[in-house]
Amino acid sequence: MKAFARFLYILSLAAFFAACGGGYGGDGSTNVPPPPPPPPPPPPAAVADFTVLQLDPLAGHSRGEAKDINDNGQIVGWSSAQNQTAVLWTIDAAGAVTVQDLGTLPGGTRSIAYGINNLGQVVGLTDGALGSRRPFIWTASDGMRDLGVPVGLVGGWANRINDAGQVVGVVYPGEEGHGTFGIWTVDADGNVLDERNLGNLGGEKGVVAFDNNVHGNVVGDIFFELTGSGTNQTGFFWSEAGGVIEIGTEEALGINDFDEVVGWMPDTLQGYVWTAAGGLTVIPAGIAMTINNSGQVAGRTDGESVQQAYIWEVGEVKLLPMPENKDFSWGQAINDAGWIVGWSQRDVDGVSHANLWIPN
């Protein structure tokens, strides 16, 4: 009877451990229940209904990138064989695309066009006899000219120009110095009326002004020196009347005429839309580069497996079609018609090609 009772006791212990989901194996190891299965991955983003075109580089060149587009469908960027050359792509009524070499300043070997307004005025970066980093303006009537820099500075570049002729970018005190906030005013012929250095806005490591709107309000990044070593940064919004507002994100990259600002939060790999009144609205994708006056945002996703140009509108992210034979794409600028420009490239060789996405 004692043996039988001991047998029943052992059975009851076994049942207890089984009910608890654990016990001990014959080798003395703990039998831990298997972990729950991981949640299913989120469904892939839908693909937007766009047609994607490749913008060919100059004859004899093999690569290029598109940096900006105006509301007339004129596109600027660069084309390259070895050195980059600023270019202007124009699309006629029949849809034919032509590419124009915008050249360099005298003595220059390279140039990049970063911005174009609705008057067709182009701004960017070139080199030349006056230095390795010079801001330029280009017009159809007069070609490329040096914008100049404020007294005491030696160089810089221009990122954007609005329809009022306000140009924003970066100016430098020396070849190795930190950049500060440069702002120019030009007339309809591209003649410089005013140039100012607005300083570093409190950032010991410099400032970059990326974009402006029709009201002359500007967004960009301020770089701070961390205690010890390293750099921290914050996006900013600047207006002539109100001065600087630090947005608190690391990147402020684009602004529309309603003072809606877009950028990127690297810690979460997400984009955002910011307004002074409403604060941040998160875009569950990667870098938000640009926003038009309809509130459409374009940028690039930041997934581990694929980085792809996207459009965000009405709270939804949609991928832009990947150009043929490409592994990566980037949406850089959007106009008020919803046309998006940027570039794509192959993983195997890193060769980039300029692209235009047109909504169907």
Side-chain angles (χ1 to χ4, degrees), residues 129-338:
L130 294 177
S132 62
R133 294 182 292 191
R134 300 297 300 182
F136 76 76
I137 183 165
W138 178 94
T139 61
S141 58
D142 295 307
M144 184 178 291
R145 286 176 285 170
D146 195 319
L147 271 172
V149 294
V151 174
L153 304 176
V154 302
W157 77 80
N159 277 324
R160 284 293 190 269
I161 179 170
N162 67 15
D163 290 346
Q166 183 202 60
V167 181
V168 297
V170 183
V171 289
Y172 287 91
E175 288 296 321
E176 303 300 326
H178 301 301
T180 55
F181 181 2
I183 188 166
W184 299 259
T185 304
V186 300
D187 64 18
D189 295 319
N191 301 306
V192 178
L193 305 177
D194 181 47
E195 56 188 26
R196 291 184 289 162
N197 173 21
L198 298 184
N200 63 13
L201 306 184
E204 305 90 346
K205 291 290 187 177
V207 172
V208 176
F210 286 119
D211 197 11
N212 59 347
N213 64 14
V214 70
H215 309 295
N217 299 333
V218 182
V219 295
D221 292 350
I222 305 172
F223 299 88
F224 302 96
E225 186 171 12
L226 295 178
T227 301
S229 64
T231 301
N232 191 16
Q233 68 191 79
T234 181
F236 74 85
F237 170 92
W238 177 90
S239 66
E240 196 77 60
V244 177
I245 298 174
E246 293 183 12
I247 296 174
T249 62
E250 288 198 17
E251 298 271 3
L253 301 171
I255 185 171
N256 67 11
D257 293 339
F258 297 100
D259 289 337
E260 295 174 314
V261 178
V262 295
W264 186 44
M265 299 179 289
D267 289 345
T268 60
L269 303 180
Q270 293 179 316
Y272 69 84
V273 178
W274 175 91
T275 64
L280 285 176
T281 298
V282 174
I283 298 176
I287 300 174
M289 289 295 303
T290 176
I291 182 169
N292 66 12
N293 288 327
S294 297
Q296 295 173 305
V297 175
R300 188 212 71 194
T301 63
D302 217 342
E304 293 182 0
S305 59
V306 63
Q307 295 176 331
Q308 187 165 346
Y310 73 82
I311 183 170
W312 179 86
E313 55 183 339
V314 199
E316 182 181 7
V317 173
K318 291 185 178 181
L319 300 177
L320 296 176
M322 185 70 77
E324 187 177 2
N325 298 322
K326 298 298 192 299
D327 305 298
F328 165 100
S329 59
W330 187 299
Q332 177 74 26
I334 186 171
N335 68 9
D336 281 344

Side-chain angles (χ1 to χ4, degrees), residues 57-64 78-85 87 109 351:
L58 294 167
H61 289 194
S62 59
R63 63 188 70 197
W78 59 264
S79 170
S80 176
Q82 291 182 330
N83 292 331
Q84 294 161 311
T85 300
V87 292
T109 60
V351 172

